[in-house]
């Protein structure tokens, strides 16, 4: 018996998945969720084997929801998301169902779920998130989890990023927030004309840089409008000057 959760903001879409699942009595729907916030809580509570997940939802989208789950289960997308974009994720998800889909197409997705090894599915979900993060809609904000709350940080409100062991510390006017990602990840997905990796452990929002001061040897300090100081290495100095046009 497999446990499932349906996460979709459209009641009719959730109903369709439930009706199609009647042909698969070995899969039990533990909960229906109409947004990503509810989805995260349901996953923590029920530890499902599979999520039937929409991508475009209010508040946070499906990809952002998965990022906030420590051990994401298998994922079958059931979405109206553009087919071209979905194909980019096809090799990483268990399957995707482009709305509207038939019972026959749904059954094929369940077959793939049964055939797919759980460990492989977990790895594929992580790869899926890395692929999705590079999409144009995914680099306009950063979604973080603080305790039981979820915070959405518009990218323009980020002052700088700082490596912190297995996390990255996102510095903003409201304080610092931890994200379970690497500096390399953010270097790939953020606009290089706005965020520059000035140091092995730092990236800075160049719009906030007021000046660059010598520090010691061939190192520097970037002074920000906020009063913060961000370390700049020799390599980072060259990158920063290039973006600032100096």
């Amino acid at each position: 018996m497999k446990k499932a959760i349906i996460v979709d903001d459209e009641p009719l879409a959730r109903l369709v998945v439930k009706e199609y699942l009647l042909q698969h009595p070995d899969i039990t729907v533990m909960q229906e969720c109409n947004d990503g916030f509810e989805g995260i809580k349901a996953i923590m509570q029920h530890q499902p084997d599979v999520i039937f997940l929409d991508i475009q939802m209010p508040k946070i989208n499906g990809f952002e929801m998965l990022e906030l789950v420590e051990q994401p289960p298998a994922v079958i997308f059931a979405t109206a998301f553009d087919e071209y974009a979905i194909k980019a994720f096809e090799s990483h998800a268990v399957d995707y169902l482009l709305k509207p889909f038939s019972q026959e197409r749904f059954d094929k997705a369940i077959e793939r779920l049964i055939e797919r090894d759980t460990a492989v599915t977990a790895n594929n979900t992580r790869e899926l998130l890395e692929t999705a993060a590079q999409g144009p809609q995914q680099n306009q904000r950063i979604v973080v989890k603080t305790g039981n709350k979820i915070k959405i940080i518009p990218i323009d409100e980020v002052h700088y990023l700082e490596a912190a062991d297995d996390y990255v510390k996102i510095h903003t006017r409201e304080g610092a927030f931890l994200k379970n990602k690497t500096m390399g990840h953010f270097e790939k997905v953020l606009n290089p004309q706005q965020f520059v990796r000035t140091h092995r452990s730092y990236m800075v929002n160049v719009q906030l840089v007021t000046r660059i001061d010598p520090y010691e040897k061939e190192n520097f300090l970037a002074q920000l409008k906020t009063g913060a100081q961000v370390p700049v290495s020799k390599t980072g100095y060259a990158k920063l000057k290039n973006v600032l046009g100096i």
Side-chain angles (χ1 to χ4, degrees):
M1 183 69 69
K2 289 184 179 294
K3 296 185 293 183
I5 287 175
I6 304 171
V7 186
D8 197 313
D9 62 313
E10 299 176 7
L12 180 58
R14 298 197 301 269
L15 179 62
V16 168
V17 172
K18 284 196 301 180
E19 288 185 349
Y20 287 172
L21 279 172
L22 293 176
Q23 302 299 317
H24 302 275
D26 54 334
I27 299 177
T28 301
V29 176
M30 306 302 295
Q31 187 172 335
E32 295 179 53
C33 309
N34 59 23
D35 61 50
F37 292 157
E38 289 185 11
I40 292 170
K41 294 178 182 178
I43 291 169
M44 293 176 62
Q45 179 181 351
H46 299 291
Q47 299 294 307
D49 301 294
V50 61
I51 310 171
F52 295 92
L53 179 64
D54 191 11
I55 296 176
Q56 295 173 313
M57 296 184 292
K59 299 180 181 177
I60 60 174
N61 64 40
F63 296 133
E64 291 167 334
M65 188 204 80
L66 290 175
E67 277 193 352
L68 300 176
V69 179
E70 291 186 6
Q71 295 182 325
V75 179
I76 295 177
F77 288 117
T79 179
F81 197 83
D82 179 75
E83 184 175 8
Y84 177 82
I86 284 295
K87 286 187 179 298
F89 315 133
E90 183 177 12
S91 62
H92 302 312
V94 171
D95 203 350
Y96 76 92
L97 301 168
L98 191 63
K99 298 174 182 176
F101 48 86
S102 65
Q103 176 80 58
E104 181 181 5
R105 180 65 185 88
F106 183 86
D107 293 344
K108 288 181 179 179
I110 300 301
E111 288 177 11
R112 293 189 66 179
L113 171 67
I114 295 171
E115 293 170 357
R116 191 74 66 96
D117 179 79
T118 302
V120 173
T121 298
N123 290 332
N124 284 350
T125 302
R126 286 189 288 270
E127 292 172 0
L128 163 69
L129 293 176
E130 290 299 319
T131 303
Q134 298 178 39
Q137 295 182 339
Q138 296 302 111
N139 57 11
Q140 299 304 309
R141 62 188 191 178
I142 299 173
V143 179
V144 297
K145 190 175 180 182
T146 58
N148 294 324
K149 296 182 179 180
I150 296 171
K151 181 171 180 61
I152 299 172
I153 307 171
I155 203 64
D156 289 338
E157 294 183 8
V158 176
H159 297 169
Y160 65 97
L161 295 86
E162 178 185 4
D165 295 325
D166 295 331
Y167 293 81
V168 171
K169 190 178 293 186
I170 315 297
H171 291 268
T172 72
R173 177 176 55 83
E174 297 181 24
F177 303 90
L178 290 175
K179 180 75 172 178
N180 189 11
K181 290 289 184 182
T182 65
M183 293 295 287
H185 164 81
F186 283 110
E187 194 171 19
K188 287 180 182 178
V189 303
L190 295 181
N191 181 356
Q193 296 302 308
Q194 183 177 3
F195 285 88
V196 173
R197 190 166 184 176
T198 60
H199 184 278
R200 179 172 55 87
S201 300
Y202 291 88
M203 288 183 71
V204 66
N205 185 343
V206 297
Q207 296 175 351
L208 298 179
V209 176
T210 57
R211 69 176 192 269
I212 308 171
D213 295 333
Y215 182 50
E216 57 181 21
K217 295 184 180 179
E218 296 182 320
N219 294 318
F220 303 83
L221 284 176
Q223 307 290 338
L224 306 189
K225 293 177 183 178
T226 61
Q229 296 179 322
V230 177
V232 181
S233 66
K234 180 180 178 181
T235 303
Y237 182 59
K239 293 179 183 176
L240 198 53
K241 285 202 305 178
N242 181 59
V243 171
L244 292 172
I246 58 177

